Amino acid sequence: MGHQMFEYNSTLAEEVYAYCRDRLTHPVPLDFGGLSPDPLPDLEGLIRPEGNDPEAMLTLFKDRLATHVVSIDSPGFLAFIPNAPTKNSLLFDMVVACSGLNGTSWLESAGVVEAENQALTFLAHTAGMPEGSGGAFVSGGSLGNLSSLTVGRDVGRTKHPELAAHTLRFAISADAHSSIGTALHVLGIEALLVETDDHRFTRTNLERALANDPHPETVIGIVATSGTTNAGIIDDLEGLGSFAREHDLWFHVDGAYGGAAIFSATHAQYLSGLRHADSFIVDPHKWLFAPLDCCALIYRNPTIARKVLAQQASYLDVLHGSDDEKYEWNPSDFAIHLSRRARGLPFWFSLVTNGVNAYETAVQASIDLAERTVKMIANMDHVELVRDASLSIVMLRRIGWGPEQYNAWSQQLLRDQIAFVTPTKWEGETVARLAFLHPDTSDELVLEILESMRD
Ligand SMILES: *Cc1c(COP(=O)(O)O)cnc(C)c1O
């Protein structure tokens, strides 16, 4: 009786496998999220001293809760940044879930760490970062940015004891992701908000801002974005990175979305400045086709990161007990976390089974689709580009529409189960934005979306 909940329920198990098989083998429906025509089920009273029938609860989830979620892995999901995990990564996520893997330390999980590190080293190498770069997989870009900037702040503080009484700053542009602002807020650091020309943060912009600033010496680092979330713009990584090297500043590159373009035959060249990065993040759960939640956080010098972030406690001393560097490689030491799911493994498994070429092809597919979309728009007179497509993001204007029309159109597309496309703002104007990521998003679908903007 008492330990019944640790027993295997084969009927439930078969139903769960059947559900997973169905999700993996059928086209993913878009579904509805908060715009569902049906009300959410009443869950009142389900949490109670005695349990409920598990099959009934699974059915409740399948039929009444999961349908209230817009499936982020549908090829019609073009809002925000979608997520298109490979089948192998999803299958392997199930393996990870059932394997009792704690990805915290070398002592507990050397085999996990070895595989995750292989994937991290490969990403670092592809990004042009030097040998010895490394870090850990964390929950997302937000935590990756916070961890990176924490290390950058402490390095700056140590280098500049004379600034102890000052508020330190990182130079950022207004197009940096919102999580950068949050990280600075948490860290008690301020931003030198650099004005850009056409939203791309360049070395020239930075030099101008510093020249006009009364306290340029308080700027201890630079945050660049390789693929802004709203528009896909890649900052001047080469210029900003070389400036950081010359002036001994921390250089962080937020590539949560667009960092994946290191796999693009046409666009990797624009990310070559990544070789200067002290810290770099890219989310495999965005454009590298891994399930949520997974961000690769990579430091040029992981030893410095460990000094800043490793948690010290007597019960953890045993994790730090060896002189061998390798035995010290605890993923928990490189970010603001301790216990962790081996969340890099689904990405690793997909990479080793599908091969690098498949990743290059899949990343390129969305960039190419964005370019074909630009041509479709050029052939229509009711829509026009807001700016050139960048990476896999296209922003367009429906001539004559205001915010209400964009919102009504967006909701209707979802009600019709055609696509999930949400408006954004560009320089104060409400516009439409298509974020391509799923290699199965078709030209026909894009055309249907553009045509739906006629009325
Ligand atoms: C998505 C995104 C983030 C935040 O990443 P999460 O994984 O959602 O925490 C940070 N920076 C950029 C550029 C992003 O696109």
Side-chain angles (χ1 to χ4, degrees):
M1 249 280 309
H3 298 298
Q4 196 191 345
M5 71 176 177
F6 295 95
E7 277 170 22
Y8 182 73
N9 174 340
S10 59
T11 317
L12 176 64
E14 290 312 318
E15 288 196 12
V16 168
Y17 302 149
Y19 175 74
C20 295
R21 188 174 295 116
D22 187 58
R23 291 292 298 191
L24 287 163
T25 51
H26 290 86
V28 175
L30 204 48
D31 286 324
F32 288 100
L35 291 180
S36 173
D38 306 322
L40 276 162
D42 183 3
L43 304 181
E44 183 84 27
L46 288 182
I47 300 177
R48 54 180 192 170
E50 61 287 350
N52 301 280
D53 176 56
E55 287 147 63
M57 293 302 103
L58 180 63
T59 304
L60 174 74
F61 169 76
K62 278 196 300 199
D63 296 347
R64 304 294 315 282
L65 295 174
T67 52
H68 280 262
V69 174
V70 188
S71 304
I72 193 169
D73 52 344
S74 160
F77 192 116
L78 306 177
F80 317 119
I81 300 289
N83 165 249
T86 65
K87 302 295 182 193
N88 287 9
S89 71
L90 290 171
L91 286 166
F92 206 73
D93 215 13
M94 295 197 276
V95 173
V96 171
C98 295
S99 295
L101 307 172
N102 181 350
T104 303
S105 69
W106 184 264
L107 174 67
E108 292 160 285
S109 298
V112 164
V113 179
E114 190 77 354
E116 286 194 325
N117 281 356
Q118 184 185 30
L120 287 171
T121 303
F122 168 70
L123 289 174
H125 175 78
T126 310
M129 291 174 76
E131 193 134 339
S133 299
F137 287 99
V138 299
S139 63
S142 302
L143 187 62
N145 283 334
L146 176 60
S147 302
S148 301
L149 298 188
T150 306
V151 178
R153 178 198 64 182
D154 282 21
V155 166
R157 264 190 190 154
T158 308
K159 273 186 199 157
H160 298 288
E162 78 283 4
L163 295 175
H166 292 78
T167 302
L168 301 177
R169 292 184 295 168
F170 273 92
I172 71 171
S173 92
D175 291 74
H177 188 264
S178 47
S179 60
I180 298 290
T182 303
L184 298 186
H185 176 68
V186 171
L187 293 170
I189 297 257
E190 282 184 5
L192 168 66
L193 197 61
V194 178
E195 275 188 35
T196 56
D197 314 306
D198 197 30
H199 304 267
R200 181 169 180 262
F201 185 13
T202 66
R203 177 174 178 141
T204 314
N205 303 150
L206 177 65
E207 286 174 340
R208 191 172 54 207
L210 289 170
N212 292 328
D213 192 86
H215 292 293
E217 72 283 358
T218 62
V219 173
I220 55 160
I222 304 168
V223 178
T225 311
S226 64
T228 59
T229 319
N230 205 16
I233 297 165
I234 303 169
D235 287 341
D236 171 22
L237 304 185
E238 185 57 49
L240 294 170
S242 54
F243 185 93
R245 290 273 81 77
E246 289 158 27
H247 296 84
D248 200 19
L249 304 174
W250 189 267
F251 184 47
H252 175 63
V253 180
D254 176 0
Y257 149 65
I262 55 177
F263 292 100
S264 158
T266 53
H267 283 63
Q269 54 179 318
Y270 304 118
L271 279 77
S272 62
L274 269 173
R275 66 201 167 93
H276 299 297
D278 292 298
S279 51
F280 166 56
I281 63 150
V282 56
D283 277 356
H285 75 216
K286 285 181 174 169
W287 206 3
L288 289 176
F289 316 111
L292 291 157
D293 48 9
C294 185
C295 165
L297 161 60
I298 302 170
Y299 302 95
R300 179 182 214 83
N301 184 342
T303 307
I304 294 179
R306 176 172 34 213
K307 285 204 182 103
V308 173
L309 294 174
Q311 296 188 26
Q312 305 297 335
S314 35
Y315 83 99
L316 297 175
D317 282 349
V318 63
L319 300 183
H320 304 279
S322 165
D323 293 335
D324 186 335
E325 269 274 299
K326 191 168 184 185
Y327 290 87
E328 290 270 303
W329 199 283
N330 302 309
S332 58
D333 290 348
F334 299 101
I336 302 161
H337 61 187
L338 186 61
S339 302
R340 61 183 286 281
R341 216 165 71 80
R343 59 169 60 82
L345 284 187
F347 172 60
W348 170 82
F349 183 79
S350 180
L351 194 58
V352 295
T353 53
N354 289 304
V356 179
N357 290 348
Y359 279 76
E360 293 174 349
T361 306
V363 168
Q364 194 64 40
S366 295
I367 293 179
D368 293 347
L369 178 58
E371 279 165 19
R372 292 197 300 279
T373 303
V374 166
K375 294 201 180 109
M376 291 182 215
I377 292 170
N379 286 328
M380 295 175 169
D381 47 18
H382 64 295
V383 285
E384 64 185 14
L385 282 184
V386 172
R387 54 174 293 121
D388 267 346
S390 199
L391 291 175
S392 65
I393 296 181
V394 181
M395 287 201 293
L396 65 145
R397 173 183 298 117
R398 163 62 165 82
I399 295 160
W401 274 8
E404 299 77 38
Q405 282 110 323
Y406 282 105
N407 281 326
W409 162 76
S410 162
Q411 295 186 9
Q412 191 59 44
L413 271 184
L414 186 64
R415 266 190 223 106
D416 295 342
Q417 291 289 285
I418 295 170
F420 187 46
V421 182
T422 47
T424 186
K425 278 220 173 74
W426 188 253
E427 297 182 346
E429 177 191 357
T430 300
V431 299
R433 171 178 172 277
L434 305 171
F436 298 126
L437 195 144
H438 201 306
D440 290 345
T441 304
S442 67
D443 291 46
E444 291 69 34
L445 178 63
V446 176
L447 200 58
E448 187 177 1
I449 293 168
L450 296 176
E451 287 295 340
S452 74
M453 301 178 91
R454 278 197 193 276
D455 354 284

